[in-house]
Amino acid sequence: MLLGCLQGFVKVVKNKQYFKRYQVKFRRRREGKTDYYARKRLTFQDKNKYNTPKYRLIVRLSNKDITVQIAYARIEGDRVVCAAYSHELPKYGIQVGLTNYAAAYCTGLLVARRVLNKLGLDSLYAGCTEVTGEEFNVEPVDDGPGAFRCFLDVGLARTTTGARVFGAMKGAVDGGLNIPHSVKRFPGYSAETKSFNADVHRAHIFGQHVADYMRTLEEEDEESFKRQFSRYIKLGIRADDLEDIYKKAHQAIRNDPTHKVTAKKASGVTKKRWNAKKLTNEQRKTKIAAHKAAYVAKLQSETEA
């Protein structure tokens, strides 16, 4: 007993056996970018479906943009079928607030209409044309191709009730995509009463939560209002205008969801070159023949002299 007391604290050192058996994690796991536990389940396809792609609706949020892509996995990497970004929304009349819930809904709607237009299914699956905020599921038509089915991929985002990733998903569902979901994560759902208030959800889709905050802030603290909503003030957008702006944007997206490639402006800067331009095989042969002819002519002139 006395011997055990005298030994004290012994530090456990990782031995050779530990390091021999250590396996390095995947790079994107080490970087904290990919949740491989979730990715495996989102990309794994049933064996009886052979090589049929399993599509994912990928939603990623950044400080200034919302990215929504439809992609499927292959051994060499993911292949993106279609993509939409919230920085495209100014074309449809939404100049400001490109990262809020309403903008996420519009971006989801845009990618849905764009992919259906690309596949020629936009006339068969119009989706939910009247936005009510209630649950909506796309039903396949009897005589025609089935609805485009994909699964929500939120990445590392927290799946809290009212999160913007679910706004993008709702936009895609209303746009005509078949995405398995429930209303439990939409704004307006109460976990205590187990009930869903569709009016609250509709208000978020049309940016009314932003409008209410604008009104409150303007009454209570005008300085903060001018600082936080300076771009709204500059463009002359008031709280009462937001619903009409989003309604017009939804209709504009449905009218023309296609992506327009803008021509790059030619810059007047001429780039300097510090090394010789690489020649083609024909140019090299011509250059060598010219050198040979010049050298032969030089030899002939020397012998004549």
Side-chain angles (χ1 to χ4, degrees), residues 8-268:
F9 175 75
V10 179
K11 184 181 178 183
V12 178
V13 180
K14 291 173 181 175
N15 56 17
K16 186 178 179 181
Q17 285 76 15
Y18 169 82
F19 290 106
K20 280 174 75 72
R21 293 165 65 88
Y22 183 77
Q23 185 175 359
V24 179
K25 289 182 171 61
F26 290 156
R27 177 179 58 82
R28 288 183 64 85
R29 171 62 190 88
R30 297 198 306 270
E31 292 172 352
K33 291 181 178 179
T34 300
D35 177 4
Y36 280 99
Y37 184 87
R39 180 178 169 80
K40 178 188 171 184
R41 285 150 182 79
L42 280 167
T43 57
F44 184 81
Q45 182 63 291
D46 296 334
K47 296 299 180 188
N48 62 357
K49 293 180 182 175
Y50 300 97
N51 209 28
T52 306
K54 189 171 187 177
Y55 295 102
R56 309 193 322 274
L57 181 81
I58 302 168
V59 183
R60 297 291 182 268
L61 308 173
S62 65
N63 288 342
K64 293 186 178 181
D65 208 3
I66 296 173
T67 304
V68 183
Q69 297 174 328
I70 292 173
Y72 62 95
R74 283 291 177 259
I75 291 293
E76 63 274 12
D78 286 4
R79 293 183 186 174
V80 179
V81 178
C82 189
Y85 306 88
S86 64
H87 66 246
E88 297 179 65
L89 296 179
K91 288 194 304 182
Y92 300 102
I94 303 170
Q95 301 294 331
V96 285
L98 301 181
T99 55
N100 58 28
Y101 192 92
Y105 177 91
C106 290
T107 313
L109 179 66
L110 178 59
V111 78
R113 300 312 300 165
R114 186 171 285 175
V115 74
L116 291 176
N117 180 56
K118 183 179 178 180
L119 299 172
L121 299 172
D122 51 341
S123 57
L124 281 175
Y125 296 99
C128 182
T129 53
E130 187 181 348
V131 181
T132 59
E134 293 177 358
E135 186 177 8
F136 173 78
N137 290 298
V138 178
E139 296 295 333
V141 294
D142 295 328
D143 50 344
F148 187 90
R149 187 179 178 84
C150 55
F151 302 90
L152 179 64
D153 182 343
V154 298
L156 300 175
R158 294 281 184 183
T159 53
T160 53
T161 302
R164 289 171 292 169
V165 289
F166 299 110
M169 184 196 70
K170 177 61 176 169
V173 170
D174 284 359
L177 299 188
N178 180 11
I179 306 172
H181 69 285
S182 72
V183 298
K184 289 186 177 181
R185 287 302 180 198
F186 290 148
Y189 180 80
S190 172
E192 293 177 2
T193 59
K194 309 288 185 189
S195 60
F196 175 61
N197 187 348
D199 293 333
V200 175
H201 192 199
R202 185 190 180 280
H204 274 69
I205 290 169
F206 287 110
Q208 292 309 293
H209 59 301
V210 179
D212 293 341
Y213 182 59
M214 283 177 76
R215 294 187 190 99
T216 306
L217 200 64
E218 192 173 11
E219 290 173 6
E220 295 178 358
D221 190 350
E222 197 169 347
E223 259 186 54
S224 297
F225 172 74
K226 286 179 180 178
R227 185 175 64 253
Q228 292 181 33
F229 292 97
S230 59
R231 291 187 64 199
Y232 286 76
I233 295 165
K234 187 179 178 181
L235 294 167
I237 298 171
R238 306 296 299 171
D240 299 332
D241 303 332
L242 288 179
E243 185 167 343
D244 288 335
I245 288 170
Y246 287 115
K247 276 184 179 177
K248 288 175 183 175
H250 295 169
Q251 190 56 49
I253 288 168
R254 287 182 176 278
N255 292 340
D256 183 19
T258 55
H259 174 60
K260 302 289 188 300
V261 180
T262 54
K264 290 184 179 179
K265 293 180 181 178
S267 60

